[in-house]
Amino acid sequence: MNIISRKIRSRFSNLILRSLFIISPFASLAQHTSYNIEKLGARGDNKTVNTNIINQTIAKCAEEGGGTVIVPQGVFLTATLYLKNNVNLHLNKGAVLKGVSDIALYHSFVPETDLSKYSTISTTGNNSNSAYDTVWMKALIIAQGISKATISGEGHIDGDHVFNSKGEEGMRGPHTIVIANCKDLRFENITIEKAANYAVLAYDLQNSVFQNVKIQQGWDGIHIRGGKNILLKQCDLQTGDDAIAGGFWENFQVQNCSINSACNGIRVIMPVNGFFVNNSRFTGPGRYAHRTSGAEHRTNMLAGIYIQPGGWGLVKGDIEGVRISNLKMHNMNNPFIFELHKGNNAQDIVVENINADSIKNPIAIHSDSGYNYKSVLFKNVSIHYITHSNTAAPWALGASNVEELRLENVKFYASGVKPKTAIQLKNISTPTFSKTNIYSADHTEEVNAESSGMIKSN
């Protein structure tokens, strides 16, 4: 182990230890008062619109010091609800909060603070993918500037794929949950299904936990722009678009999750500092089709983990302290794509203990000219590729603009007819291969290196 790797491991071992104390379940609500929305006049008949009664109940609960708002068994139609401080919105087993079909009944989230740094330029026209776009920011549940609130229970929140002809792509309706400037929130055991846009969209969220949350269908699953001390644990995400997305994260942890997507498993579109993914499974193809694909019903999973700050528009900042470990990956285009754009650099990326199979395309590490990776390590990695001879791209790994690239105990397998090149290196200052092997149809090893240092091997 060289001096650089010892420093990296020491620094992030300390960070992980600190994070165990930072991300911890906050104490349960001291208040034990409960408010049953049905007893207060709501009807779970899948006909009555209960928006006013539910909002009045949540407000009453908060005003009286907090407690639990109970949604009993039944299908309770509603438009926009506002979560409040110290309120646990609890959905009993068999309970459904279902979005109404009339898009005109939904309110838009209106920022009370400056969220402009999180805007992107991926779309134009009526939908700018911005917190200030009133069409794009309609939502079923809104939480803004609150703390110590919870959504829990074994019930479902059903976005009902509400259609909006004026929405993004001429079809997207309200997000299911929009959060901004909140802290100490918990989401436990609930299922979010048929989100009409993102299931969860958050801005500036701190010290919050998503545990045993299930998301089925819709577009993005959990999309957080600005997250500090966030834990996703034992979640089961089956989404039509990116399962987890966002950026501007600090100490963001994904643990023991199951991720299935018709797009990307995790997509980072903004800088991060301290991003951990471990003991999780990424599986394709998507159980639910990518909704934007229409009649094509595309289900193939794209990348398992795609880190691309600036990929949705110029955003300055670096990627630092990425730890990806103990993953099983199956049936997707690329296991990992790392991509830098203008104003972005990266350092201290470690990927270890990975077992992947039925992979169609290589690991890709790329940056625009002038933007570089300082250090990238792959350790204890085994990947089985389904290869084809009709591509000029490397079938196992393509990397460019990296100062220090290390492969330790890495095994690449080609199950079909192999393309010409297994590994393509360009502008790699110090490439090091240790106990690394390439197994292809005719048992040859082919590495092309351009403008790179001599490959060190141990």
Side-chain angles (χ1 to χ4, degrees), residues 120-154:
T120 65
I121 56 172
S122 63
T123 56
T124 59
N126 292 331
N127 293 274
S128 59
N129 209 288
S130 162
Y132 297 90
D133 187 318
T134 57
V135 176
W136 198 70
M137 291 306 299
K138 286 181 178 292
L140 179 59
I141 298 175
I142 294 175
Q144 181 163 205
I146 67 170
S147 63
K148 296 183 179 178
T150 300
I151 299 180
S152 66
E154 298 179 65

Side-chain angles (χ1 to χ4, degrees), residues 227-425:
K228 183 176 182 180
N229 304 327
I230 306 298
L231 175 62
L232 278 62
K233 184 177 181 181
Q234 297 171 331
C235 294
D236 184 358
L237 310 180
Q238 302 174 19
T239 60
D241 213 308
D242 302 332
I244 301 168
F248 284 114
W249 297 339
E250 182 179 347
N251 190 25
F252 189 105
Q253 301 189 40
V254 179
Q255 300 178 0
N256 302 100
C257 290
S258 177
I259 295 174
N260 170 262
S261 171
C263 198
N264 300 288
I266 300 177
R267 190 174 191 179
V268 179
I269 60 171
M270 296 167 180
V272 297
N273 186 347
F275 172 43
F276 307 89
V277 184
N278 61 75
N279 298 316
S280 296
R281 182 173 180 82
F282 293 70
T283 306
R287 178 179 177 185
Y288 300 105
H290 189 251
R291 289 183 55 76
T292 309
S293 66
E296 181 185 352
H297 295 293
R298 185 186 64 75
T299 59
N300 61 297
M301 191 168 181
L302 303 182
I305 298 179
Y306 192 176
I307 298 178
Q308 55 161 175
W312 286 16
L314 178 65
V315 56
K316 294 183 178 181
D318 295 343
I319 299 293
E320 181 174 1
V322 174
R323 295 294 179 267
I324 299 169
S325 61
N326 302 313
L327 305 186
K328 292 187 180 299
M329 312 179 85
H330 172 72
N331 197 356
M332 63 197 65
N333 289 7
N334 303 76
F336 306 103
I337 301 178
F338 304 148
E339 184 178 285
L340 300 178
H341 297 280
K342 184 177 180 180
N344 309 121
N345 292 286
Q347 61 179 336
D348 305 341
I349 298 175
V350 176
V351 180
E352 59 183 337
N353 301 327
I354 308 297
N355 196 321
D357 66 85
S358 300
I359 305 300
K360 301 174 182 65
N361 297 319
I363 296 170
I365 305 171
H366 170 74
S367 71
D368 295 340
S369 178
Y371 303 97
N372 297 295
Y373 301 86
K374 198 165 211 47
S375 58
V376 180
L377 168 64
F378 287 87
K379 182 177 181 180
N380 301 330
V381 173
S382 174
I383 301 180
H384 289 247
Y385 293 92
I386 300 172
T387 54
H388 302 281
S389 60
N390 60 350
T391 177
W395 60 264
L397 168 67
S400 63
N401 301 327
V402 182
E403 289 187 27
E404 182 183 12
L405 175 65
R406 290 178 291 150
L407 276 61
E408 298 180 8
N409 191 30
V410 173
K411 304 291 187 291
F412 294 133
Y413 299 86
S415 62
V417 179
K418 69 179 183 65
K420 180 180 178 180
T421 303
I423 297 177
Q424 176 71 54
L425 306 179

Side-chain angles (χ1 to χ4, degrees), residues 96-100 106 140 156-161 176 191-195:
V96 180
L97 277 180
K98 184 177 180 181
V100 297
Y106 290 89
L140 179 59
H156 290 224
I157 301 175
D158 184 354
D160 200 33
H161 286 159
T176 303
T191 296
I192 302 172
E193 60 188 3
K194 299 179 183 177

Side-chain angles (χ1 to χ4, degrees), residues 166-179:
K166 297 180 180 179
E168 185 178 354
E169 299 167 327
M171 62 189 301
R172 298 201 198 194
H175 303 291
T176 303
I177 301 173
V178 168
I179 303 161

Side-chain angles (χ1 to χ4, degrees), residues 74-141:
V75 179
F76 294 85
L77 291 179
T78 182
T80 304
L81 303 177
Y82 292 88
L83 194 60
K84 303 291 185 180
N85 287 315
N86 301 310
V87 172
N88 175 11
L89 181 60
H90 184 86
L91 284 69
N92 287 350
K93 186 175 182 179
V96 180
L97 277 180
K98 184 177 180 181
V100 297
S101 59
D102 186 353
I103 191 68
L105 296 180
Y106 290 89
H107 295 174
S108 299
F109 163 79
V110 178
E112 296 176 352
T113 60
D114 183 6
L115 301 177
S116 58
K117 68 180 287 187
Y118 304 118
S119 296
T120 65
I121 56 172
S122 63
T123 56
T124 59
N126 292 331
N127 293 274
S128 59
N129 209 288
S130 162
Y132 297 90
D133 187 318
T134 57
V135 176
W136 198 70
M137 291 306 299
K138 286 181 178 292
L140 179 59
I141 298 175

